[in-house]
Amino acid sequence: MTPNMQTDVAGDGTRDEALAQRELKRQWRKTAIARRKRTNPEERLEAGRKLAEQARQANLIHSFTTVAAFASMGSEMSMTPMLQTLFDSNCRILVPRLGKGTDIGWSELDSIHDLHDQTNSDGSINTYRPQEPSNSACGPEALKDAGLIIVPAFAVDHEGFRLGRGGGWYDRALEYRAIGARVVAVCWPWEPTDEPVPHEAHDIPVNGVLTPNGFTEVRQ
């Protein structure tokens, strides 16, 4: 076998493995979404309240610091109590600005009431996009200010690998995090898993997982 043929075979194997991992992610994501859709708005809000309380008890929130968080959407538990807790602690809050969906950006959130629905070209609400503030967006380097980064997840394993929505936005964004920044994934209590989460080389593991039932450090 020639060196070029060896490279081609290795390359095919790598591509096949990546495709297999993506298919596993798709299946896991589909199952997770179906389970989440069995929750109702009242349960999502109550879960959000418990989540904020667990964050306080775990000493994740420190006053007068910068925290990168997110606005919940769809069947995610409500992040409103968490955001309000951060405001009550005098934290500076950054939230994602998705732009075209692949752009990485953040905006400082001044108030819960500054979050607005995103709309489609026909004026209808875009249910596939989280609410965003209407102020100007900062670039991806704004994340360097954050000591705590709270990210959404459908699943998290013992190594800290998380299952996201599939766009890779957070994996690209986290490349700009500061050394020593703590990355914490938020998910429902049934979503941390003993099984390895399907992942690829570009996936960045988190440092801990927070659910309405508590906070767990992740082995890394």
Side-chain angles (χ1 to χ4, degrees), residues 73 97-101 117-118 126-132:
M73 64 178 188
R97 293 295 292 271
L98 300 188
K100 296 178 181 178
D117 290 325
Q118 302 301 291
N126 187 334
T127 58
Y128 296 98
R129 298 286 292 268
Q131 293 180 321
E132 296 181 1

Side-chain angles (χ1 to χ4, degrees), residues 95-155:
V95 292
R97 293 295 292 271
L98 300 188
K100 296 178 181 178
T102 57
D103 301 334
I104 300 171
W106 302 86
S107 273
E108 185 168 347
L109 184 64
D110 296 320
S111 165
I112 292 288
H113 304 294
D114 289 342
L115 289 170
H116 305 288
D117 290 325
Q118 302 301 291
T119 57
N120 299 309
S121 56
D122 61 1
S124 60
I125 294 175
N126 187 334
T127 58
Y128 296 98
R129 298 286 292 268
Q131 293 180 321
E132 296 181 1
S134 55
N135 57 0
S136 59
C138 303
E141 64 281 355
L143 190 63
K144 290 185 183 297
D145 293 337
L148 173 65
I149 305 168
I150 304 173
V151 302
F154 285 119

Side-chain angles (χ1 to χ4, degrees), residues 1 3-17:
M1 183 180 290
N4 284 342
M5 289 176 66
Q6 290 177 339
T7 301
D8 289 343
V9 170
D12 287 343
T14 301
R15 285 195 295 271
D16 289 346
E17 177 61 24

Side-chain angles (χ1 to χ4, degrees), residues 80-103:
T80 299
M82 176 70 77
L83 294 173
Q84 189 57 58
T85 296
L86 293 171
F87 279 123
D88 292 344
S89 298
N90 296 305
C91 293
R92 175 176 176 247
I93 304 172
L94 301 176
V95 292
R97 293 295 292 271
L98 300 188
K100 296 178 181 178
T102 57
D103 301 334

